Short mmCIF file of all heavy atoms in Angstrom, two decimals:
data_model
loop_
_atom_site.label_atom_id
_atom_site.label_comp_id
_atom_site.label_asym_id
_atom_site.label_seq_id
_atom_site.Cartn_x
_atom_site.Cartn_y
_atom_site.Cartn_z
N MET A 5 20.04 5.12 20.02
CA MET A 5 19.78 4.12 18.98
C MET A 5 18.50 4.38 18.17
O MET A 5 17.46 4.73 18.83
CB MET A 5 19.70 2.76 19.72
CG MET A 5 19.71 1.55 18.83
SD MET A 5 19.56 -0.02 19.72
CE MET A 5 18.14 -0.65 19.04
N MET A 6 18.62 4.28 16.86
CA MET A 6 17.48 4.52 16.06
C MET A 6 16.65 3.24 15.87
O MET A 6 17.22 2.12 15.58
CB MET A 6 17.95 5.01 14.70
CG MET A 6 18.29 6.49 14.67
SD MET A 6 16.94 7.52 14.11
CE MET A 6 16.81 7.02 12.36
N LEU A 7 15.36 3.41 16.09
CA LEU A 7 14.54 2.31 15.81
C LEU A 7 14.12 2.27 14.34
O LEU A 7 13.62 3.31 13.84
CB LEU A 7 13.29 2.40 16.64
CG LEU A 7 13.29 1.50 17.95
CD1 LEU A 7 11.98 1.68 18.62
CD2 LEU A 7 13.50 0.05 17.61
N GLN A 8 14.30 1.21 13.67
CA GLN A 8 13.92 1.11 12.19
C GLN A 8 12.48 0.68 12.15
O GLN A 8 12.16 -0.50 12.49
CB GLN A 8 14.81 0.13 11.47
CG GLN A 8 16.18 0.77 11.06
CD GLN A 8 16.06 1.65 9.83
OE1 GLN A 8 15.18 1.49 9.05
NE2 GLN A 8 16.98 2.64 9.78
N THR A 9 11.66 1.45 11.72
CA THR A 9 10.26 1.14 11.64
C THR A 9 9.88 1.28 10.14
O THR A 9 10.22 2.22 9.49
CB THR A 9 9.26 1.95 12.43
OG1 THR A 9 9.59 3.30 12.22
CG2 THR A 9 9.49 1.71 13.90
N THR A 10 9.23 0.28 9.73
CA THR A 10 8.73 0.32 8.29
C THR A 10 7.34 0.88 8.24
O THR A 10 6.47 0.45 8.99
CB THR A 10 8.77 -1.06 7.69
OG1 THR A 10 10.05 -1.68 7.93
CG2 THR A 10 8.59 -1.00 6.19
N VAL A 11 7.20 1.92 7.42
CA VAL A 11 5.91 2.58 7.34
C VAL A 11 5.25 2.15 5.99
O VAL A 11 5.93 2.15 4.95
CB VAL A 11 6.04 4.10 7.46
CG1 VAL A 11 4.71 4.76 7.34
CG2 VAL A 11 6.72 4.47 8.74
N PHE A 12 3.99 1.86 6.10
CA PHE A 12 3.25 1.44 4.91
C PHE A 12 2.20 2.44 4.60
O PHE A 12 1.61 2.97 5.54
CB PHE A 12 2.70 0.02 5.10
CG PHE A 12 3.63 -1.07 5.30
CD1 PHE A 12 3.82 -1.60 6.55
CD2 PHE A 12 4.36 -1.53 4.25
CE1 PHE A 12 4.79 -2.65 6.68
CE2 PHE A 12 5.34 -2.52 4.40
CZ PHE A 12 5.54 -3.02 5.63
N ALA A 13 2.01 2.58 3.34
CA ALA A 13 0.80 3.45 2.91
C ALA A 13 -0.14 2.48 2.25
O ALA A 13 0.18 1.38 1.73
CB ALA A 13 1.25 4.47 1.86
N ALA A 14 -1.41 2.91 2.26
CA ALA A 14 -2.46 2.15 1.61
C ALA A 14 -2.52 2.57 0.15
O ALA A 14 -2.47 3.80 -0.11
CB ALA A 14 -3.80 2.34 2.32
N ALA A 15 -2.65 1.66 -0.70
CA ALA A 15 -2.77 1.95 -2.16
C ALA A 15 -3.91 1.20 -2.77
O ALA A 15 -4.11 -0.02 -2.50
CB ALA A 15 -1.43 1.69 -2.89
N ARG A 16 -4.63 1.85 -3.69
CA ARG A 16 -5.78 1.23 -4.26
C ARG A 16 -5.47 0.79 -5.58
O ARG A 16 -5.07 1.66 -6.49
CB ARG A 16 -6.92 2.18 -4.26
CG ARG A 16 -8.25 1.70 -4.73
CD ARG A 16 -8.87 0.85 -3.70
NE ARG A 16 -10.25 0.55 -4.03
CZ ARG A 16 -10.99 -0.48 -3.45
NH1 ARG A 16 -10.46 -1.14 -2.50
NH2 ARG A 16 -12.25 -0.68 -3.78
N SER A 17 -5.59 -0.45 -5.92
CA SER A 17 -5.39 -0.92 -7.29
C SER A 17 -6.73 -0.80 -8.05
O SER A 17 -7.79 -0.58 -7.48
CB SER A 17 -5.02 -2.41 -7.33
OG SER A 17 -5.99 -3.23 -6.87
N ARG A 18 -6.59 -0.77 -9.39
CA ARG A 18 -7.87 -0.68 -10.20
C ARG A 18 -8.37 -2.01 -10.59
O ARG A 18 -7.57 -2.97 -10.75
CB ARG A 18 -7.50 0.17 -11.43
CG ARG A 18 -7.16 1.57 -11.11
CD ARG A 18 -7.34 2.52 -12.26
NE ARG A 18 -6.63 2.09 -13.48
CZ ARG A 18 -6.60 2.72 -14.63
NH1 ARG A 18 -7.38 3.81 -14.72
NH2 ARG A 18 -5.96 2.27 -15.68
N ALA A 19 -9.62 -2.11 -10.75
CA ALA A 19 -10.20 -3.40 -11.26
C ALA A 19 -9.64 -3.61 -12.61
O ALA A 19 -9.62 -2.71 -13.48
CB ALA A 19 -11.73 -3.29 -11.28
N HIS A 20 -9.11 -4.82 -12.86
CA HIS A 20 -8.44 -5.10 -14.08
C HIS A 20 -8.96 -6.46 -14.51
O HIS A 20 -8.41 -7.55 -14.04
CB HIS A 20 -6.95 -5.04 -13.85
CG HIS A 20 -6.11 -5.42 -15.06
ND1 HIS A 20 -6.06 -4.62 -16.18
CD2 HIS A 20 -5.33 -6.46 -15.33
CE1 HIS A 20 -5.29 -5.15 -17.05
NE2 HIS A 20 -4.83 -6.27 -16.58
N GLY A 21 -9.80 -6.50 -15.50
CA GLY A 21 -10.30 -7.82 -16.00
C GLY A 21 -11.01 -8.48 -14.87
O GLY A 21 -11.83 -7.98 -14.17
N PRO A 22 -10.68 -9.78 -14.60
CA PRO A 22 -11.28 -10.51 -13.58
C PRO A 22 -10.76 -10.12 -12.17
O PRO A 22 -11.31 -10.55 -11.15
CB PRO A 22 -10.91 -11.99 -13.84
CG PRO A 22 -9.62 -11.83 -14.60
CD PRO A 22 -9.67 -10.57 -15.34
N THR A 23 -9.73 -9.26 -12.12
CA THR A 23 -9.16 -8.91 -10.87
C THR A 23 -9.96 -7.69 -10.25
O THR A 23 -10.11 -6.61 -10.96
CB THR A 23 -7.70 -8.46 -10.98
OG1 THR A 23 -7.07 -9.44 -11.71
CG2 THR A 23 -6.98 -8.28 -9.62
N VAL A 24 -10.44 -7.77 -9.07
CA VAL A 24 -11.14 -6.70 -8.47
C VAL A 24 -10.17 -5.68 -7.81
O VAL A 24 -9.02 -5.99 -7.59
CB VAL A 24 -12.12 -7.22 -7.40
CG1 VAL A 24 -13.19 -8.11 -7.98
CG2 VAL A 24 -11.40 -7.96 -6.30
N ALA A 25 -10.67 -4.51 -7.69
CA ALA A 25 -9.84 -3.46 -7.00
C ALA A 25 -9.68 -3.83 -5.55
O ALA A 25 -10.62 -4.21 -4.90
CB ALA A 25 -10.60 -2.12 -7.12
N LEU A 26 -8.44 -3.70 -5.13
CA LEU A 26 -8.12 -4.14 -3.78
C LEU A 26 -7.21 -3.04 -3.10
O LEU A 26 -6.55 -2.27 -3.79
CB LEU A 26 -7.37 -5.44 -3.67
CG LEU A 26 -8.09 -6.72 -3.99
CD1 LEU A 26 -7.16 -7.92 -4.10
CD2 LEU A 26 -9.18 -7.03 -2.90
N TRP A 27 -7.20 -3.05 -1.77
CA TRP A 27 -6.21 -2.20 -1.08
C TRP A 27 -4.94 -2.99 -0.89
O TRP A 27 -4.95 -4.10 -0.52
CB TRP A 27 -6.82 -1.87 0.29
CG TRP A 27 -7.82 -0.74 0.26
CD1 TRP A 27 -9.20 -1.03 0.40
CD2 TRP A 27 -7.63 0.63 0.08
NE1 TRP A 27 -9.84 0.23 0.26
CE2 TRP A 27 -8.95 1.22 0.00
CE3 TRP A 27 -6.50 1.43 -0.24
CZ2 TRP A 27 -9.15 2.61 -0.16
CZ3 TRP A 27 -6.69 2.73 -0.38
CH2 TRP A 27 -7.97 3.41 -0.40
N HIS A 28 -3.88 -2.36 -1.33
CA HIS A 28 -2.53 -2.90 -1.16
C HIS A 28 -1.71 -2.11 -0.24
O HIS A 28 -2.07 -0.91 0.10
CB HIS A 28 -1.89 -3.05 -2.56
CG HIS A 28 -2.54 -3.91 -3.50
ND1 HIS A 28 -2.23 -5.22 -3.67
CD2 HIS A 28 -3.57 -3.61 -4.39
CE1 HIS A 28 -3.03 -5.74 -4.59
NE2 HIS A 28 -3.89 -4.82 -5.06
N ALA A 29 -0.62 -2.71 0.27
CA ALA A 29 0.33 -1.93 1.07
C ALA A 29 1.59 -1.58 0.26
O ALA A 29 2.08 -2.34 -0.48
CB ALA A 29 0.72 -2.79 2.26
N VAL A 30 1.98 -0.35 0.41
CA VAL A 30 3.13 0.20 -0.20
C VAL A 30 4.17 0.64 0.82
O VAL A 30 3.82 1.34 1.77
CB VAL A 30 2.87 1.34 -1.17
CG1 VAL A 30 4.14 2.07 -1.68
CG2 VAL A 30 2.01 0.88 -2.34
N GLU A 31 5.42 0.18 0.73
CA GLU A 31 6.35 0.56 1.64
C GLU A 31 6.83 1.94 1.34
O GLU A 31 7.16 2.27 0.24
CB GLU A 31 7.62 -0.41 1.53
CG GLU A 31 8.38 -0.54 2.83
CD GLU A 31 9.42 -1.66 2.68
OE1 GLU A 31 9.20 -2.75 2.09
OE2 GLU A 31 10.62 -1.38 3.09
N LEU A 32 6.83 2.80 2.39
CA LEU A 32 7.11 4.16 2.16
C LEU A 32 8.52 4.57 2.37
O LEU A 32 9.15 4.29 3.35
CB LEU A 32 6.24 5.09 3.04
CG LEU A 32 4.86 5.39 2.74
CD1 LEU A 32 4.26 6.38 3.77
CD2 LEU A 32 4.76 6.06 1.40
N HIS A 33 9.19 4.97 1.27
CA HIS A 33 10.62 5.40 1.35
C HIS A 33 10.67 6.95 1.27
O HIS A 33 11.75 7.48 1.39
CB HIS A 33 11.41 4.75 0.19
CG HIS A 33 11.39 3.24 0.24
ND1 HIS A 33 11.97 2.56 1.17
CD2 HIS A 33 10.78 2.37 -0.54
CE1 HIS A 33 11.78 1.15 1.01
NE2 HIS A 33 11.02 1.09 -0.08
N ARG A 34 9.59 7.57 0.98
CA ARG A 34 9.58 8.97 0.84
C ARG A 34 8.40 9.58 1.69
O ARG A 34 7.53 8.81 2.10
CB ARG A 34 9.24 9.35 -0.66
CG ARG A 34 10.45 9.01 -1.55
CD ARG A 34 10.21 9.46 -2.95
NE ARG A 34 9.25 8.52 -3.68
CZ ARG A 34 8.53 8.85 -4.67
NH1 ARG A 34 8.57 10.05 -5.26
NH2 ARG A 34 7.76 7.97 -5.31
N PRO A 35 8.43 10.80 1.97
CA PRO A 35 7.31 11.40 2.80
C PRO A 35 5.96 11.14 2.09
O PRO A 35 5.91 11.13 0.84
CB PRO A 35 7.65 12.90 2.80
CG PRO A 35 9.12 12.94 2.58
CD PRO A 35 9.42 11.83 1.61
N PRO A 36 4.95 10.83 2.91
CA PRO A 36 3.64 10.59 2.28
C PRO A 36 3.23 11.63 1.33
O PRO A 36 2.53 11.30 0.35
CB PRO A 36 2.71 10.48 3.51
CG PRO A 36 3.62 10.08 4.68
CD PRO A 36 4.98 10.66 4.33
N ALA A 37 3.47 12.86 1.58
CA ALA A 37 3.10 13.94 0.65
C ALA A 37 3.60 13.74 -0.77
O ALA A 37 3.01 14.23 -1.69
CB ALA A 37 3.46 15.36 1.25
N GLU A 38 4.78 13.17 -0.83
CA GLU A 38 5.44 13.01 -2.17
C GLU A 38 4.84 11.87 -2.97
O GLU A 38 5.02 11.77 -4.16
CB GLU A 38 6.93 12.77 -1.93
CG GLU A 38 7.69 14.04 -1.70
CD GLU A 38 9.21 13.84 -1.72
OE1 GLU A 38 9.70 12.92 -2.44
OE2 GLU A 38 9.91 14.55 -0.95
N VAL A 39 4.36 10.87 -2.19
CA VAL A 39 3.75 9.69 -2.97
C VAL A 39 2.27 9.67 -3.12
O VAL A 39 1.72 8.86 -3.73
CB VAL A 39 4.22 8.36 -2.30
CG1 VAL A 39 5.67 8.24 -2.30
CG2 VAL A 39 3.74 8.31 -0.79
N ASP A 40 1.58 10.74 -2.62
CA ASP A 40 0.18 10.81 -2.63
C ASP A 40 -0.30 10.83 -4.13
O ASP A 40 0.09 11.70 -4.84
CB ASP A 40 -0.33 12.07 -1.88
CG ASP A 40 -1.79 12.04 -1.81
OD1 ASP A 40 -2.45 10.96 -1.85
OD2 ASP A 40 -2.38 13.14 -1.65
N GLY A 41 -1.08 9.92 -4.50
CA GLY A 41 -1.62 9.85 -5.88
C GLY A 41 -0.65 9.25 -6.83
O GLY A 41 -1.04 9.07 -8.03
N ALA A 42 0.51 8.87 -6.37
CA ALA A 42 1.45 8.17 -7.29
C ALA A 42 1.22 6.67 -7.36
O ALA A 42 0.73 6.08 -6.48
CB ALA A 42 2.87 8.46 -6.82
N CYS A 43 1.62 6.12 -8.50
CA CYS A 43 1.56 4.68 -8.68
C CYS A 43 2.80 4.08 -8.13
O CYS A 43 3.90 4.40 -8.62
CB CYS A 43 1.34 4.30 -10.16
SG CYS A 43 -0.39 4.04 -10.57
N GLU A 44 2.74 3.29 -7.14
CA GLU A 44 3.89 2.66 -6.54
C GLU A 44 3.75 1.15 -6.55
O GLU A 44 2.71 0.57 -6.73
CB GLU A 44 3.98 3.21 -5.09
CG GLU A 44 4.25 4.60 -4.95
CD GLU A 44 5.70 4.95 -5.19
OE1 GLU A 44 6.57 4.16 -4.94
OE2 GLU A 44 6.01 6.11 -5.70
N LEU A 45 4.90 0.51 -6.48
CA LEU A 45 4.97 -0.96 -6.39
C LEU A 45 4.50 -1.40 -5.06
O LEU A 45 5.00 -0.96 -3.99
CB LEU A 45 6.34 -1.47 -6.72
CG LEU A 45 6.49 -2.93 -7.02
CD1 LEU A 45 5.78 -3.33 -8.33
CD2 LEU A 45 8.04 -3.29 -7.06
N THR A 46 3.51 -2.28 -5.00
CA THR A 46 3.00 -2.74 -3.72
C THR A 46 3.86 -3.86 -3.21
O THR A 46 4.72 -4.46 -3.92
CB THR A 46 1.54 -3.26 -3.95
OG1 THR A 46 1.51 -4.38 -4.78
CG2 THR A 46 0.68 -2.09 -4.54
N LEU A 47 3.60 -4.34 -2.01
CA LEU A 47 4.28 -5.47 -1.37
C LEU A 47 4.19 -6.65 -2.24
O LEU A 47 5.06 -7.54 -2.27
CB LEU A 47 3.87 -5.76 0.00
CG LEU A 47 4.19 -4.61 1.03
CD1 LEU A 47 3.75 -5.09 2.43
CD2 LEU A 47 5.67 -4.30 1.09
N CYS A 48 3.00 -6.95 -2.81
CA CYS A 48 2.72 -8.15 -3.52
C CYS A 48 3.23 -8.02 -4.99
O CYS A 48 3.07 -9.03 -5.72
CB CYS A 48 1.20 -8.50 -3.47
SG CYS A 48 0.18 -7.37 -4.34
N GLY A 49 3.74 -6.87 -5.37
CA GLY A 49 4.38 -6.82 -6.70
C GLY A 49 3.50 -6.19 -7.82
O GLY A 49 3.89 -6.24 -8.95
N SER A 50 2.39 -5.72 -7.45
CA SER A 50 1.53 -5.07 -8.42
C SER A 50 1.62 -3.52 -8.24
O SER A 50 2.27 -3.05 -7.32
CB SER A 50 0.09 -5.52 -8.33
OG SER A 50 -0.46 -5.29 -7.00
N LEU A 51 1.02 -2.84 -9.14
CA LEU A 51 1.05 -1.42 -9.14
C LEU A 51 -0.30 -0.82 -8.60
O LEU A 51 -1.29 -1.32 -9.02
CB LEU A 51 1.33 -0.70 -10.43
CG LEU A 51 2.78 -0.80 -10.87
CD1 LEU A 51 2.88 -0.37 -12.32
CD2 LEU A 51 3.69 0.06 -10.03
N ALA A 52 -0.25 0.09 -7.65
CA ALA A 52 -1.47 0.66 -7.14
C ALA A 52 -1.26 2.14 -6.82
O ALA A 52 -0.09 2.58 -6.62
CB ALA A 52 -1.93 -0.15 -5.87
N ARG A 53 -2.32 2.86 -6.80
CA ARG A 53 -2.16 4.30 -6.60
C ARG A 53 -2.30 4.61 -5.05
O ARG A 53 -3.32 4.23 -4.39
CB ARG A 53 -3.29 4.99 -7.34
CG ARG A 53 -3.09 6.46 -7.39
CD ARG A 53 -4.18 7.14 -8.35
NE ARG A 53 -3.93 6.79 -9.71
CZ ARG A 53 -3.01 7.36 -10.56
NH1 ARG A 53 -2.39 8.39 -10.15
NH2 ARG A 53 -2.89 7.02 -11.80
N VAL A 54 -1.25 5.23 -4.57
CA VAL A 54 -1.22 5.55 -3.10
C VAL A 54 -2.28 6.55 -2.74
O VAL A 54 -2.46 7.57 -3.48
CB VAL A 54 0.15 6.07 -2.75
CG1 VAL A 54 0.22 6.55 -1.30
CG2 VAL A 54 1.22 5.04 -2.99
N SER A 55 -3.01 6.23 -1.68
CA SER A 55 -3.95 7.17 -1.24
C SER A 55 -3.61 7.51 0.27
O SER A 55 -3.74 6.59 1.13
CB SER A 55 -5.40 6.49 -1.26
OG SER A 55 -6.26 7.29 -0.50
N THR A 56 -3.11 8.72 0.52
CA THR A 56 -2.86 9.04 1.90
C THR A 56 -4.01 9.38 2.71
O THR A 56 -3.86 9.70 3.87
CB THR A 56 -1.81 10.23 1.90
OG1 THR A 56 -2.34 11.28 1.13
CG2 THR A 56 -0.49 9.78 1.32
N ASP A 57 -5.25 9.34 2.09
CA ASP A 57 -6.42 9.55 2.90
C ASP A 57 -6.70 8.31 3.78
O ASP A 57 -7.34 8.40 4.78
CB ASP A 57 -7.64 9.65 1.98
CG ASP A 57 -7.61 10.92 1.19
OD1 ASP A 57 -6.85 11.91 1.62
OD2 ASP A 57 -8.32 11.11 0.13
N GLU A 58 -6.07 7.20 3.29
CA GLU A 58 -6.18 5.98 4.13
C GLU A 58 -4.82 5.62 4.70
O GLU A 58 -3.79 5.92 4.05
CB GLU A 58 -6.67 4.82 3.26
CG GLU A 58 -7.97 5.01 2.54
CD GLU A 58 -9.13 4.81 3.54
OE1 GLU A 58 -8.89 4.14 4.52
OE2 GLU A 58 -10.25 5.29 3.28
N SER A 59 -4.81 4.97 5.82
CA SER A 59 -3.54 4.46 6.37
C SER A 59 -3.60 2.99 6.52
O SER A 59 -4.68 2.37 6.63
CB SER A 59 -3.30 5.08 7.72
OG SER A 59 -4.37 4.81 8.58
N TRP A 60 -2.44 2.35 6.28
CA TRP A 60 -2.39 0.96 6.35
C TRP A 60 -2.17 0.51 7.74
O TRP A 60 -1.26 1.08 8.48
CB TRP A 60 -1.25 0.44 5.44
CG TRP A 60 -1.16 -1.05 5.40
CD1 TRP A 60 -0.39 -1.82 6.14
CD2 TRP A 60 -1.88 -1.90 4.50
NE1 TRP A 60 -0.61 -3.15 5.80
CE2 TRP A 60 -1.45 -3.18 4.80
CE3 TRP A 60 -2.78 -1.64 3.44
CZ2 TRP A 60 -2.04 -4.34 4.09
CZ3 TRP A 60 -3.26 -2.82 2.75
CH2 TRP A 60 -2.88 -4.14 3.12
N PRO A 61 -2.82 -0.58 8.24
CA PRO A 61 -3.85 -1.36 7.59
C PRO A 61 -5.18 -0.59 7.42
O PRO A 61 -5.51 0.09 8.38
CB PRO A 61 -3.94 -2.61 8.51
CG PRO A 61 -3.55 -2.15 9.92
CD PRO A 61 -2.45 -1.07 9.63
N VAL A 62 -5.82 -0.77 6.40
CA VAL A 62 -7.13 -0.11 6.12
C VAL A 62 -8.20 -0.84 6.85
O VAL A 62 -8.21 -2.09 6.96
CB VAL A 62 -7.36 0.02 4.58
CG1 VAL A 62 -6.46 0.99 3.99
CG2 VAL A 62 -7.33 -1.34 3.95
N ALA A 63 -9.21 -0.15 7.22
CA ALA A 63 -10.40 -0.75 7.83
C ALA A 63 -11.44 -1.15 6.73
O ALA A 63 -12.49 -0.60 6.75
CB ALA A 63 -10.92 0.24 8.85
N ALA A 64 -10.95 -1.98 5.91
CA ALA A 64 -11.89 -2.40 4.81
C ALA A 64 -11.75 -3.88 4.64
O ALA A 64 -10.84 -4.55 5.24
CB ALA A 64 -11.46 -1.72 3.46
N THR A 65 -12.68 -4.49 3.97
CA THR A 65 -12.64 -5.98 3.77
C THR A 65 -12.02 -6.32 2.49
O THR A 65 -11.56 -7.47 2.36
CB THR A 65 -14.08 -6.52 3.88
OG1 THR A 65 -14.85 -5.79 2.89
CG2 THR A 65 -14.68 -6.40 5.24
N ASP A 66 -11.96 -5.44 1.54
CA ASP A 66 -11.34 -5.76 0.21
C ASP A 66 -9.85 -5.35 0.25
O ASP A 66 -9.39 -4.49 -0.41
CB ASP A 66 -12.07 -5.04 -0.90
CG ASP A 66 -12.21 -3.55 -0.67
OD1 ASP A 66 -12.00 -3.10 0.43
OD2 ASP A 66 -12.55 -2.85 -1.65
N VAL A 67 -9.15 -6.11 1.08
CA VAL A 67 -7.73 -5.94 1.24
C VAL A 67 -7.03 -7.06 0.52
O VAL A 67 -7.43 -8.19 0.68
CB VAL A 67 -7.38 -5.80 2.79
CG1 VAL A 67 -5.79 -5.71 2.91
CG2 VAL A 67 -8.03 -4.58 3.39
N CYS A 68 -5.91 -6.77 -0.10
CA CYS A 68 -5.06 -7.76 -0.76
C CYS A 68 -4.52 -8.76 0.33
O CYS A 68 -3.81 -8.28 1.25
CB CYS A 68 -3.93 -7.08 -1.50
SG CYS A 68 -2.74 -8.26 -2.18
N PRO A 69 -4.78 -10.03 0.26
CA PRO A 69 -4.34 -10.95 1.28
C PRO A 69 -2.80 -11.04 1.30
O PRO A 69 -2.22 -11.19 2.33
CB PRO A 69 -5.03 -12.25 0.92
CG PRO A 69 -5.48 -12.13 -0.48
CD PRO A 69 -5.66 -10.66 -0.78
N ALA A 70 -2.19 -10.90 0.12
CA ALA A 70 -0.67 -11.04 0.04
C ALA A 70 -0.06 -9.90 0.78
O ALA A 70 0.89 -10.00 1.53
CB ALA A 70 -0.29 -11.15 -1.34
N CYS A 71 -0.59 -8.66 0.55
CA CYS A 71 -0.04 -7.46 1.19
C CYS A 71 -0.27 -7.53 2.67
O CYS A 71 0.55 -7.14 3.48
CB CYS A 71 -0.64 -6.24 0.62
SG CYS A 71 0.07 -5.78 -1.00
N ALA A 72 -1.41 -8.00 3.11
CA ALA A 72 -1.79 -8.09 4.54
C ALA A 72 -0.80 -9.02 5.23
O ALA A 72 -0.33 -8.74 6.37
CB ALA A 72 -3.21 -8.53 4.71
N LEU A 73 -0.44 -10.07 4.55
CA LEU A 73 0.51 -11.04 5.12
C LEU A 73 1.92 -10.49 5.14
O LEU A 73 2.56 -10.53 6.13
CB LEU A 73 0.39 -12.29 4.29
CG LEU A 73 1.17 -13.52 4.89
CD1 LEU A 73 0.37 -14.02 6.12
CD2 LEU A 73 1.23 -14.71 3.83
N LEU A 74 2.36 -9.92 4.05
CA LEU A 74 3.72 -9.42 3.92
C LEU A 74 3.96 -8.23 4.82
O LEU A 74 5.09 -8.06 5.34
CB LEU A 74 3.96 -8.98 2.45
CG LEU A 74 4.08 -10.11 1.50
CD1 LEU A 74 4.04 -9.65 0.07
CD2 LEU A 74 5.40 -10.92 1.70
N SER A 75 3.00 -7.40 5.14
CA SER A 75 3.16 -6.25 6.00
C SER A 75 3.25 -6.59 7.46
O SER A 75 3.66 -5.74 8.25
CB SER A 75 2.09 -5.22 5.74
OG SER A 75 0.88 -5.77 6.20
N THR A 76 2.93 -7.79 7.77
CA THR A 76 3.08 -8.20 9.20
C THR A 76 4.41 -8.73 9.51
O THR A 76 4.65 -9.07 10.72
CB THR A 76 1.94 -9.18 9.57
OG1 THR A 76 2.02 -10.32 8.75
CG2 THR A 76 0.51 -8.52 9.43
N CYS A 77 5.18 -9.01 8.59
CA CYS A 77 6.46 -9.69 8.77
C CYS A 77 7.48 -8.62 9.13
O CYS A 77 7.53 -7.58 8.65
CB CYS A 77 6.96 -10.42 7.51
SG CYS A 77 5.91 -11.75 7.03
ZN1 LIG B 15 -1.17 -6.57 -2.73
#
């Protein structure tokens, strides 16, 4: 039996107007090497650049609360 595990990558959004840069979670459907540096749709619906230097959950305080919540479901 195959266990279905969802893998998340950490992605960094850019500061945009009043919105600060945050770490978001991106669901990985491709090998991490293929999405490194790519702009992907995050769990909360924004676009962020995937950074495979970091793994989700990131050990940072500036984490998107929506992504943190959605990735635990
Ligand atoms: Zn987010």
Side-chain angles (χ1 to χ4, degrees):
M5 195 179 117
M6 279 265 292
L7 262 181
Q8 280 282 333
T9 52
T10 311
V11 179
F12 297 104
R16 186 74 168 165
S17 66
R18 293 203 304 181
H20 178 67
T23 312
V24 295
L26 289 172
W27 284 105
H28 297 265
V30 170
E31 211 173 313
L32 278 183
H33 301 289
R34 291 182 283 159
E38 282 187 31
V39 294
D40 188 22
C43 265
E44 294 283 329
L45 192 64
T46 65
L47 291 186
C48 67
S50 55
L51 282 170
R53 194 170 292 275
V54 174
S55 169
T56 52
D57 293 340
E58 299 283 339
S59 57
W60 184 269
V62 291
T65 52
D66 53 345
V67 175
C68 171
C71 280
L73 190 68
L74 288 166
S75 65
T76 58
C77 298

